[in-house]
Amino acid sequence: MKQNGIRKKIFDKLRAKNHIEKTRVNSKNKLKIVISSNNQHKIKEYKEIFNDYPNIEIMSLNDANINVDPEENGKTFKENSLIKAKAVAELTNNLVIADDSGLEIDALDGFPGIYSSRFMSDHTYEEKFLAIFDMLKDKNNRKAQFHCVITLVNLEAGPLFFEGVVRGEIAKTSNGLNGFGYDPIFIPEGYKKSFADLSEDEKNAISHRGIASKSLLEFLKEHKYI
């Protein structure tokens, strides 16, 4: 029994090493990365962020013929990101990235946080904005941040995590037609315009998802996957 356990550990290590080496070889052509999300706005944003890397192919779940919608029952962005990544990793040999992200408002103790997309889920975002404005009407502090954690799986033996945070404040009115989600009410530090008023390139250069993605890309370049 003990010998069988030792053999299994050796086999698992060899299999993980072989998978990593195959990924490095394949990355000389195109590195396929499946985005574990059914949010088309998010997938579009990832394609824009990775657009300068022709040796990376970003795939949606639909592109990969995967139909899954895991329950996000984690207590942190990291936990939810891992749940989504693992659910898709079981259905493909390609690399998988998933992120969980949200708006954290200082005066509301980080609310809505991990519940950002689920908060008033049966209402429009304009209605969500009005609710948040009402919560902040007696608050002097309108500081907030967008927070993102990306999980990468099917590469190393264990999952890898990349984090991005952008500080800013909640506007008093919604502005802008670009972006999605809470972008129209978030003004990043150093700017007088909301995320939704910025161009795609401007937003991706400073956003929480852009920052986390930059760390991911630096890892892939450092380890010669791209």
Side-chain angles (χ1 to χ4, degrees), residues 14-39:
L14 288 172
R15 183 173 59 182
K17 182 180 179 182
N18 185 48
H19 176 70
I20 292 167
E21 292 305 319
K22 280 183 178 179
T23 303
R24 285 201 174 101
V25 171
N26 290 339
S27 68
K28 293 176 182 177
N29 299 312
K30 267 205 173 183
L31 193 65
K32 293 184 177 182
I33 302 178
V34 180
I35 308 297
S36 177
S37 176
N38 290 300
N39 184 327

Side-chain angles (χ1 to χ4, degrees), residues 13-165:
K13 286 182 179 179
L14 288 172
R15 183 173 59 182
K17 182 180 179 182
N18 185 48
H19 176 70
I20 292 167
E21 292 305 319
K22 280 183 178 179
T23 303
R24 285 201 174 101
V25 171
N26 290 339
S27 68
K28 293 176 182 177
N29 299 312
K30 267 205 173 183
L31 193 65
K32 293 184 177 182
I33 302 178
V34 180
I35 308 297
S36 177
S37 176
N38 290 300
N39 184 327
Q40 297 307 309
H41 294 291
K42 186 179 289 189
I43 293 166
K44 180 176 180 285
E45 203 163 88
Y46 271 116
K47 287 185 175 181
E48 290 161 357
I49 291 169
F50 286 82
N51 187 52
D52 291 334
Y53 297 86
N55 54 341
I56 294 179
E57 180 181 351
I58 296 298
M59 302 174 67
S60 66
L61 294 180
N62 188 54
D63 293 332
N65 294 314
I66 294 173
N67 182 16
V68 65
D69 189 15
E71 182 183 359
E72 299 176 36
N73 53 12
K75 295 180 179 179
T76 63
F77 291 121
K78 184 176 180 180
E79 288 179 4
N80 281 332
S81 178
L82 181 59
I83 288 168
K84 290 184 278 190
K86 281 184 171 181
V88 173
E90 293 175 357
L91 303 172
T92 180
N93 290 323
N94 290 316
L95 301 190
V96 175
I97 63 174
D99 85 46
D100 197 47
S101 56
L103 178 66
E104 298 175 315
I105 302 172
D106 291 6
L108 303 180
D109 297 323
F111 182 85
I114 63 170
Y115 304 104
S116 292
S117 64
R118 287 169 280 176
F119 167 59
M120 293 177 62
S121 59
D122 55 342
H123 292 73
T124 66
Y125 267 95
E126 284 296 334
E127 290 172 322
K128 292 185 183 188
F129 300 160
L130 292 174
I132 287 174
F133 294 154
D134 189 58
M135 293 178 196
L136 292 175
K137 65 183 179 183
D138 296 323
K139 310 285 186 183
N140 293 321
N141 179 12
R142 301 183 74 87
K143 295 293 184 183
Q145 65 183 28
F146 267 123
H147 189 171
C148 172
V149 177
I150 293 176
T151 300
L152 172 67
V153 292
N154 279 2
L155 182 63
E156 305 285 357
L160 299 168
F161 301 96
F162 305 89
E163 190 168 14
V165 172

Side-chain angles (χ1 to χ4, degrees), residues 189-207:
E189 282 185 354
Y191 290 78
K192 294 182 179 180
K193 299 187 293 185
S194 74
F195 260 176
D197 266 327
L198 300 180
S199 69
E200 293 171 349
D201 288 343
E202 285 177 315
K203 179 191 170 184
N204 291 336
I206 63 170
S207 75

